[in-house]
Amino acid sequence: MGVESYNGTVHCVTVPNGTLYVRRNGHPVFSGNSPFEHNAFRWHIRTPVFVAREWFRHRIGSFNEESARYHTLEGDFYVPSRAAVRTQVGKPGSYSFEPTEDAVATETIATFERIYDGLYREYQSLIEKGVAKELARALLPFGVYTQFYWSLNARSLMNFLSLRNSPNAQYEIRTYAEAVERLFAAQMPATHECFVEFGRRVP
Ligand SMILES: Cc1cc2nc3c(=O)[nH]c(=O)nc-3n(C[C@H](O)[C@H](O)[C@H](O)COP(=O)(O)OP(=O)(O)OC[C@H]3O[C@@H](n4cnc5c(N)ncnc54)[C@H](O)[C@@H]3O)c2cc1C
């Protein structure tokens, strides 16, 4: 990356790697924000509903979710791995999450599977009796899988990554955010490198 001294107005600048940084008040910063809005990512995401619910809070993005009013949901449910069964330690504002004892992990996984199985059978049974899918779905828990399309630009994506690929984010959405970030880095390596280098701050 080259360094040029210049005093004056810059219009529609183009640089070889597609990312422009300038020094303002002695600090290197992204030059403006809008360059990161001239691109589009579209993702097809499949997650449990409790992850989708966190994801949909990111308003700078467009979503279309599969309909559970008109379509019978497949019986796919999130069962945590043993390593993901955790306990919450600490107090509000400074929680940490530690693995549970093995016996608790085993029991937790068995409980998830047993309850999911029962609820899904009741869901199917209501639909077979003619109850509308839009009503029968109310039986299903947060752990049922949904899927959606998600479209947004790189600036909004960096906002999502700064919040959700972060130690503060819940493990399950963080796992997705890590995968999203790997794909983002592959598509826009120079922008991603700067995002990381400058503290994962959103331009
Ligand atoms: C670790 C963590 C814990 C959370 N816990 C909770 C919780 O307990 N309860 C809860 O309700 N939510 C919770 N959230 C969700 C959080 O409050 C945000 O809704 C979510 O992270 C989306 O962030 P955002 O608003 O920056 O994103 P977007 O909605 O995508 O917005 C992007 C940016 O656009 C601007 N913007 C968007 N809408 C407006 C607006 N209406 N007015 C002004 N500026 C706007 C802001 O600059 C914003 O940062 C949590 C999020 C995280 C990461």
Side-chain angles (χ1 to χ4, degrees), residues 82-157:
R82 296 184 77 78
V85 179
R86 57 216 186 250
T87 184
Q88 188 168 317
V89 183
K91 50 186 182 181
S94 62
Y95 286 125
S96 67
F97 296 88
E98 312 290 342
T100 59
E101 288 169 14
D102 253 15
V104 175
T106 305
E107 197 185 324
T108 302
I109 290 169
T111 303
F112 269 70
E113 287 172 341
R114 188 181 74 254
I115 300 294
Y116 285 156
D117 190 51
L119 286 175
Y120 193 67
R121 274 192 280 110
E122 297 292 352
Y123 167 73
Q124 284 178 308
S125 155
L126 289 183
I127 290 172
E128 278 160 23
K129 287 177 193 151
V131 174
K133 297 179 182 82
E134 67 176 15
L135 180 61
R137 68 175 170 173
L139 276 184
L140 298 178
F142 284 154
V144 69
Y145 272 84
T146 184
Q147 49 186 327
F148 56 90
Y149 286 100
W150 178 47
S151 300
L152 76 176
N153 62 42
R155 187 180 176 197
S156 306
L157 188 57

Side-chain angles (χ1 to χ4, degrees), residues 54-61 152 156 159-160 162-164 166-170 173:
E54 293 187 342
W55 210 307
F56 294 165
R57 297 301 306 277
H58 295 266
R59 296 157 288 180
I60 300 194
L152 76 176
S156 306
N159 186 64
F160 173 84
S162 71
L163 292 166
R164 300 300 184 178
S166 144
N168 295 327
Q170 178 165 342
I173 195 167

Side-chain angles (χ1 to χ4, degrees), residues 21-31 197-198 201:
Y21 276 91
V22 294
R23 194 169 279 276
R24 277 190 201 143
N25 302 325
H27 299 291
V29 291
F30 286 102
S31 174
E197 191 179 340
F198 290 97
R201 284 200 308 271

